[in-house]
Amino acid sequence: MVDQEQFATSDLDLAALRVEYGVDQGDNHPGPETDLDETWLTEGWEPLLRNWIEDATSAGMTDPNAMVLGTVEITETGPRPSSRTVLCKGLSPEGVTFYTNYESFKGRQLTRTPYASATFVWPAMGRQITVRGPVRRVPAEATEVYWQSRPRSSRLGAWASEQSRPIASRAELDRQMDATAARFAEVADVPVPPFWGGFQIQPETVEFWQGRRSRMHNRIRVTVEPGNTDVSAMKVERLQP
């Protein structure tokens, strides 16, 4: 039962929580020293996204390649969006790649409605990037290359978990893992499961956000023709905050 008194006596005022972004916040602010400018996109969206991930990594942020993935399920009563955090495991001018169980909730949604949104957020740096576009499965060869970089325990976990499916208890999940470990005990190189692999979001738009004081943030959107990596064909425009 929910302890209503606990909520009633909370001193946390969500409406009052506020951070002022921008370099004039103080010397300890790890954000940018100059305003995000359209000229930063002259080489396309991918180099700047990669640069911001590298900056977050250098700043010691946890999971700097984490992104909130939004997918859609079409039901009889209309579309139903859902989101969760995944890790970007591939980045190229063609798109943003992540890996999952194809039979998971998100995997089934993307198979039926191959379109997604992914948002990278680095609040301490006052930066955010949102990628939107159609989704495709990556070739089996690309999945194999990434699979080889995963530790054995992660490979076994991919086999053991029927991702997104209900299970009776934690103990039952542990038993599935133990059974999988026993199954592959004599197998040196655990293979890729047939139900597991990568998805690539091919951007139609990539929006870069940089926080500034007074909520007058910098927003620049790059519009891309999916599959066309020609920088000259991209449209770059500033958006109001």
Side-chain angles (χ1 to χ4, degrees), residues 38-48 93 222 229-232 234 236:
E38 290 85 341
T39 58
W40 294 14
L41 281 307
T42 54
E43 297 182 3
W45 62 271
E46 187 264 345
L48 185 54
V222 182
T229 60
D230 184 358
V231 175
S232 65
M234 300 178 186
V236 179

Side-chain angles (χ1 to χ4, degrees), residues 49 53 102 136 139 162 205 221 226:
L49 171 52
I53 292 176
Y102 287 140
R136 66 177 180 180
E162 297 180 3
T205 62
R221 180 175 62 197

Side-chain angles (χ1 to χ4, degrees), residues 7 18 36 72 75-76 79 128 134 139 142 148 167 193 197-198 203 207 225:
F7 293 97
R18 181 173 294 272
L36 171 64
V72 176
T75 70
E76 293 181 354
Q128 175 176 289
Q148 291 298 326
I167 195 165
E207 182 181 323
E225 179 184 349

Side-chain angles (χ1 to χ4, degrees), residues 204-222:
E204 283 184 340
T205 62
V206 183
E207 182 181 323
F208 293 81
W209 179 96
Q210 180 196 68
R212 304 301 287 167
R213 292 185 66 86
S214 302
R215 297 303 186 258
M216 293 299 286
H217 309 307
N218 287 308
R219 294 176 60 192
I220 293 181
R221 180 175 62 197
V222 182

Side-chain angles (χ1 to χ4, degrees), residues 51-117:
N51 179 260
W52 282 15
I53 292 176
E54 291 175 351
D55 285 348
T57 302
S58 298
M61 296 186 181
T62 302
D63 289 333
N65 59 327
M67 58 186 190
V68 179
L69 175 71
T71 56
V72 176
E73 181 177 21
I74 305 299
T75 70
E76 293 181 354
T77 57
R80 294 289 183 271
S82 61
S83 60
R84 77 291 289 160
T85 301
V86 300
L87 297 178
C88 170
K89 289 297 184 176
L91 183 60
S92 71
E94 287 74 30
V96 174
T97 301
F98 63 95
Y99 293 86
T100 189
N101 186 317
Y102 287 140
E103 297 301 320
S104 66
F105 189 41
K106 60 181 172 296
R108 285 178 279 137
Q109 285 184 324
L110 289 170
T111 298
R112 290 192 292 262
T113 308
Y115 196 94
S117 171

Side-chain angles (χ1 to χ4, degrees), residues 131-151:
V131 179
R132 304 181 185 89
V135 175
R136 66 177 180 180
R137 292 190 182 189
V138 304
E141 296 79 10
T143 291
E144 178 64 34
V145 170
Y146 171 66
W147 180 260
Q148 291 298 326
S149 73
R150 288 167 63 89

